Amino acid sequence: MTKVTPETMDWDNLGFAYVDTGKRYRAYYKDGAWSPGSIETDKMVTISESSNVLHYGQTCFEGLKAYRTKDGAIQLFRPDENAKRMNRSAEKLLMPAFPEEWFVEAVHQVVAANADWVPPYGTGASLYIRPVMFGIGDGIGVVPADEYIFSVFVMPVGPYFKGGLKPGNFVISDYDRAAPRGTGSQKVAGNYAASLQPGMLAKKAGYADAIYLDPETHSKIEEVGAANFFGITADNHLVTPQSPSILPSITKYSILHLAQERFEMTVEEGDVYVDQLDRFVEAGACGTAAVITPIGSITAGETVYRFTEGDQAGPKLKALYEELVGIQYGDRPAPEGWIQKVEIS
Ligand SMILES: *Cc1c(COP(=O)(O)O)cnc(C)c1O
């Protein structure tokens, strides 16, 4: 395989696939402290076969994006929120915190080092940033590791929607991604391992992805694949589930803010019962990768709930999408503190 470079990259036809951009940030934790992190060139990591991450899943990750603006600058969307969430995940798995300011600085450094890989404005593409932390070393007992790697790599990714906002059809899963009082609200590997089979079954049955219900009563919507759910009622309420087993999406909380502040919607976090889904005239899934995905339908056993007319996203969801993406690409004014410019030397 010939190695792609920013010069040979086909920006208009990117999907979501790993690209070795040549530069990533790494920091190492040993003897109770983090080493000063730096940019490294080798994508490979060599670790002990007894590393905790390989056996007991002591690892957490994040996902965020850098965007090219019309004037050629590069900007980040709320990276401080990812820093905080990563540390909440780390805390749950008894991993060391990576100081918030260092996290944000690491993201700036790795994006600046890979500036040529940030797709041009207007392609709808962006630079996906993947921070990850994992337990390594020779410990084999079921106890936290005493050594860790923190790494941040990047890759250019295409827009989620090649032909505009296209609604997807989803199905309620019989399975759970997380336990009622487990790790559902942390971005930790085990949740995603648990979702692989249900996700595959949903896709095999012809759906875009599985919808997970609350694991305690199986009556309320929690997650749409690896994205959060929201529904919009005819009287302009935006409703999103609240539960300790949902991953708190930064995109979701940004949408709630915009809905309230810029669209005069009433926002509610609460229970979203499957058997009351017909109160919504529009519904969506949201996350960094999904941005806002319109939900065309949800199949729950014999019942199909529909939220779109044909192949068109609803007007409110569309307006929210344009506002959010406009902010991310620098075309619309951002609320205070949401955007950080990346300094490129
Ligand atoms: C990452 C993730 C989301 C979306 O979170 P964002 O901060 O908006 O990217 C939603 N659900 C799950 C399960 C996730 O892992």
Side-chain angles (χ1 to χ4, degrees):
M1 211 177 98
T2 52
K3 203 166 149 41
V4 290
T5 66
E7 289 69 40
T8 61
M9 193 89 223
D10 182 4
W11 301 113
D12 293 317
N13 291 294
L14 287 169
F16 192 84
Y18 177 74
V19 175
D20 177 3
T21 65
K23 293 183 185 134
R24 71 275 303 136
Y25 178 97
R26 296 255 165 86
Y28 301 86
Y29 184 91
K30 204 178 172 174
D31 301 326
W34 287 104
S35 68
S38 63
I39 298 293
E40 297 187 7
T41 55
D42 191 352
K43 70 174 179 181
M44 304 300 278
V45 283
T46 301
I47 59 174
S48 169
E49 62 192 357
S50 77
S51 291
N52 188 310
V53 58
L54 301 178
H55 304 264
Y56 313 125
Q58 201 188 19
T59 175
C60 59
F61 67 97
E62 274 302 324
L64 66 161
K65 284 173 171 174
Y67 305 85
R68 180 83 68 183
T69 61
K70 206 176 223 160
D71 60 6
I74 298 172
Q75 63 183 30
L76 300 164
F77 183 74
R78 311 190 77 179
D80 49 317
E81 292 295 326
N82 296 93
K84 289 189 192 112
R85 191 171 64 191
M86 179 114 175
N87 280 336
R88 291 199 299 271
S89 300
E91 186 180 10
K92 176 73 181 176
L93 297 191
L94 302 183
M95 302 166 83
F98 194 76
E100 250 175 68
E101 319 79 73
W102 297 6
F103 178 104
V104 172
E105 174 55 26
V107 168
H108 278 262
Q109 261 192 49
V110 74
V111 171
N114 290 286
D116 291 350
W117 288 99
V118 183
Y121 174 84
T123 56
S126 55
L127 190 74
Y128 184 78
I129 305 161
R130 169 53 63 86
V132 60
M133 188 199 292
F134 46 96
I136 59 167
D138 289 332
I140 188 66
V142 188
V143 291
D146 48 24
E147 293 178 31
Y148 296 87
I149 295 178
F150 173 76
S151 177
V152 186
F153 65 83
V154 298
M155 60 194 211
V157 297
Y160 213 70
F161 304 104
K162 290 252 156 62
L165 276 173
K166 212 173 145 315
N169 299 315
F170 294 85
V171 63
I172 304 279
S173 180
D174 293 334
Y175 301 103
D176 301 319
R177 60 181 282 281
R181 280 161 289 274
T183 55
S185 63
Q186 285 86 33
K187 227 168 165 75
V188 303
N191 300 339
Y192 304 87
S195 75
L196 291 176
Q197 190 197 34
M200 179 273 287
L201 291 171
K203 284 166 198 160
K204 257 197 174 156
Y207 297 98
D209 212 332
I211 288 183
Y212 298 99
L213 301 183
D214 71 293
E216 189 125 42
T217 71
H218 271 240
S219 62
K220 298 173 272 185
I221 291 199
E222 296 222 326
E223 298 261 7
V224 185
N228 277 186
F229 174 90
F230 65 91
I232 300 172
T233 63
D235 63 351
N236 226 20
H237 285 233
L238 190 145
V239 185
T240 185
Q242 190 165 40
S243 151
S245 42
I246 293 178
L247 192 283
S249 157
I250 296 161
T251 313
K252 198 254 299 279
Y253 286 105
S254 304
I255 292 166
L256 292 188
H257 179 91
L258 296 173
Q260 190 161 26
E261 299 299 316
R262 297 190 180 179
F263 294 93
E264 281 149 22
M265 299 175 85
T266 306
V267 305
E268 274 171 45
E269 285 188 88
D271 293 331
V272 177
Y273 288 97
V274 175
D275 63 9
Q276 294 170 10
L277 276 173
D278 51 15
R279 68 180 160 136
F280 299 124
V281 293
E282 298 183 41
C286 59
T288 297
V291 194
I292 296 178
T293 301
I295 296 178
S297 69
I298 295 177
T299 299
E302 302 292 297
T303 313
V304 182
Y305 298 91
R306 293 187 196 283
F307 306 98
T308 54
E309 304 282 343
D311 231 14
Q312 287 299 308
K316 285 172 188 159
L317 186 142
K318 211 164 163 213
L320 286 166
Y321 173 84
E322 280 163 8
E323 191 71 18
L324 176 69
V325 172
I327 291 167
Q328 290 170 333
Y329 284 96
D331 295 329
R332 296 197 183 182
E336 176 85 37
W338 280 20
I339 293 295
Q340 294 186 13
K341 293 275 179 198
V342 177
E343 293 258 0
I344 312 152
S345 47

